[in-house]
Amino acid sequence: MVKMMFQRGMTLVSFLTCCAGLALLLAALSTQHWIVGRAHRQTNSNLSDGRIQFGLFHGLKNLNVGYGWRSYDINVVQLLNEDKNFMSYGLWVTTIGSVCFSILFAVFSAVFALVNTATTPVEAITGIPGLYLWNSLALLSNLAAVITWGIQYHLKLRRNILSFEDRENLWNSDGLAVLGYSFWFVVGAAIIHILNIVLIFFGSHQANRDSHKTLKPIIEEKGNGAIMLY
């Protein structure tokens, strides 16, 4: 009984951490800080300043040519259509798809963790093996999003986060962009799923070890009884 309560306690903790990971992924998908950077005009770099941030779909651009700040909304899809060199379309789509799959697998992980907290499922896909599967798939999807966006940053965004029109107006952002907190949310979600796998292993391994310890004296007692009868 104690070992079962311990295993279900670890599964409950796994459910809570899955919810935390899911919240991070939803925040990453909806926020506008996958990239954060600055910009300057080449002609009056001492007076001009720019601040740019955007996520997977939308963002915000604030530019000051020396006469005050002006704010502009950024539509990432529109930028991709207008400037094919702004980002790699394939990497962008893969990042979005990976985050979406991460959310889906995180939901499965949370639901089946809650099921295992309340009951002992018969099917492997809904039991402890299933928890390993869903958390592993969520982890792989998170890593895919991190890797593809990291490649995107090093290939494209590290050198430029401005539209073609801004570059025509002599704005420059080369080397002034960094990965924002929306990206690090996905990294945090990946760490959470690693933690979940450890928790599930620890809970099930401890339960199995206690079960073997309980079973061994029973087998020995039955063996001794059989010898006495003989």
Side-chain angles (χ1 to χ4, degrees), residues 31-37 53-54 149 153 177-187:
T31 51
Q32 301 178 359
H33 288 80
W34 282 74
I35 287 290
V36 178
Q53 64 188 53
F54 58 84
W149 192 256
Y153 170 74
V178 296
L179 296 168
Y181 64 76
S182 300
F183 168 82
W184 296 109
F185 282 164
V186 182
V187 177

Side-chain angles (χ1 to χ4, degrees), residues 1-65:
M1 183 65 179
V2 175
K3 68 179 186 301
M4 184 58 66
M5 290 297 293
F6 178 78
Q7 179 175 334
R8 290 186 175 179
M10 289 295 99
T11 308
L12 178 60
V13 175
S14 175
F15 164 73
L16 296 175
T17 54
C18 279
C19 291
L22 183 59
L24 287 176
L25 290 170
L26 291 172
L29 193 64
S30 59
T31 51
Q32 301 178 359
H33 288 80
W34 282 74
I35 287 290
V36 178
R38 303 183 72 91
H40 298 287
R41 287 194 76 189
Q42 298 175 13
T43 54
N44 58 339
S45 59
N46 293 330
L47 298 176
S48 64
D49 193 12
R51 299 170 186 172
I52 303 100
Q53 64 188 53
F54 58 84
L56 297 176
F57 303 103
H58 299 283
L60 184 65
K61 174 177 61 178
N62 295 292
L63 299 178
N64 182 2
V65 295

